Amino acid sequence: MGVEGVTWAGGSPCRIGALKVVDTPNSLMECSYLDEGKAVLKRIRGTDNVDPEFHELVEASRVAKLVKHPFRNLLMRRNRLRINAIMFYAPVLFDTVGFGSDAALYSAVITGAVNVLSTVVSIYSVDRVGRRVLLLQARVQMFLSQVVIAVVLGIKVKDHSLDLSHGYAIFVVILICLFVSAFAWSWGPLGWLIPTQAFLSMLCHFKFGIFFFSGWVLVMSLFVLLLVPETKNVPIEEMTERVWNQHWLWKRLMDDHYAAPVKNGHGKGFDPHSQL
């Protein structure tokens, strides 16, 4: 289905390829499937010599399970670099409000279903109610849901409490779904539609001057050059120590007393390519 020249169809090859996607070693180990996680790790690396990395992942999983108040950690200064908190940290949020070890599964199923269904709402309503209505309505819904979530968790989740009561937990989950649904029928898909419409109008009026966009390419390049650190071959468990703490700007946001996780004496961490 198309909306004013914009195709809303997904890529079929991507859907077919998704059938071959396996669970990550990290997620399997988090669920205590150590043998399965190690098997996937061997498949990804293309070698049986994965013991050093495997032990690091097991240790990282163990340390992660010792965290008693994961949501409060998200508010710390060193975690301000992380983005898309609702979707990316949904497992942490759900675990905090009492879902326990099945938090990742619940969050993926619930937020994923809400996201897909709400995107369909946008497809069939964008030309009926208008883009401005969807964007402005979603703005209010997203803002209020986040504010209420912050207030509830700020008041109810304390250092001496392990999780929320059942009623508050369900309330927070509903608010998360309200945020995801608002984004999925507005700022998510319509963010691709509006620039397309703007470009066509500008092309008619500016003609060759439309290539002033080259200036933004320069800005983008400077942003990457100065602010985007390289993460190649860096395990996610070592991002803080080997990436953020080494960057000329982002290291200022790291807590001085922050200690990197134990890595079983493997120095600066496991480099997959050293074993291939």
Side-chain angles (χ1 to χ4, degrees):
M1 177 178 180
V3 179
E4 295 187 8
V6 176
T7 301
W8 290 84
S12 297
C14 293
R15 297 197 193 104
I16 296 174
L19 297 175
K20 298 182 68 64
V21 174
V22 298
D23 290 323
T24 65
N26 306 64
S27 63
L28 290 169
M29 294 174 195
E30 285 288 335
C31 297
S32 299
Y33 297 126
L34 300 185
D35 293 337
E36 293 84 347
K38 189 171 186 178
V40 172
L41 188 60
K42 291 179 179 179
R43 177 179 172 184
I44 293 174
R45 301 303 182 205
T47 177
D48 290 336
N49 187 17
V50 298
D51 285 345
E53 185 177 11
F54 172 73
H55 291 305
E56 284 196 6
L57 293 176
V58 172
E59 175 64 11
S61 176
R62 184 191 68 81
V63 172
K65 291 178 180 179
L66 296 178
V67 178
K68 295 182 179 179
H69 309 291
F71 178 78
R72 295 180 66 85
N73 290 344
L74 296 182
L75 304 179
M76 294 181 179
R77 189 166 182 247
R78 65 173 179 264
N79 292 323
R80 294 176 186 174
L81 297 174
R82 282 62 169 177
I83 60 173
N84 200 4
I86 292 294
M87 294 294 288
F88 189 80
Y89 287 108
V92 177
L93 292 171
F94 281 30
D95 184 49
T96 301
V97 300
F99 277 100
S101 60
D102 292 330
L105 175 60
Y106 283 125
S107 67
V109 172
I110 295 175
T111 59
V114 171
N115 190 41
V116 171
L117 293 175
S118 299
T119 302
V120 175
V121 171
S122 177
I123 294 175
Y124 288 100
S125 64
V126 64
D127 281 332
R128 292 179 173 83
V129 301
R131 293 145 190 76
R132 284 173 52 84
V133 172
L134 286 178
L135 291 170
L136 293 175
Q137 180 279 327
R139 173 198 61 175
V140 176
Q141 186 171 326
M142 292 166 65
F143 176 80
L144 292 179
S145 60
Q146 291 191 70
V147 169
V148 177
I149 289 174
V151 171
V152 171
L153 294 182
I155 295 176
K156 293 297 181 180
V157 179
K158 304 295 184 181
D159 287 335
H160 61 272
S161 63
L162 295 179
D163 51 44
L164 292 172
S165 65
H166 181 73
Y168 278 108
I170 296 300
F171 182 50
V172 169
V173 171
I174 293 174
L175 290 172
I176 291 175
C177 291
L178 287 175
F179 172 88
V180 172
S181 63
F183 178 83
W185 67 49
S186 60
W187 295 91
L190 299 185
W192 295 97
L193 177 60
I194 293 175
T196 302
Q197 294 175 316
F199 179 81
L200 295 176
S201 299
M202 293 168 65
L203 180 62
C204 294
H205 291 84
F206 289 179
K207 297 180 172 61
F208 67 89
I210 192 65
F211 290 100
F212 80 89
F213 281 120
S214 60
W216 288 111
V217 175
L218 176 61
V219 173
M220 292 157 53
S221 301
L222 290 175
F223 177 83
V224 173
L225 179 65
L226 299 176
L227 300 179
V228 178
E230 181 57 67
T231 60
K232 181 177 64 175
N233 297 334
V234 180
I236 191 172
E237 296 82 10
E238 300 178 22
M239 282 291 295
T240 296
E241 178 190 11
R242 294 176 57 183
V243 175
W244 303 123
N245 278 342
Q246 306 302 321
H247 193 274
W248 68 272
L249 176 62
W250 304 132
K251 66 180 180 182
R252 301 178 185 179
L253 296 180
M254 299 294 106
D255 297 338
D256 294 336
H257 64 277
Y258 176 69
V262 178
K263 297 189 290 299
N264 287 339
H266 293 304
K268 290 189 176 181
F270 176 80
D271 181 0
H273 287 270
S274 67
Q275 302 293 328
L276 298 181

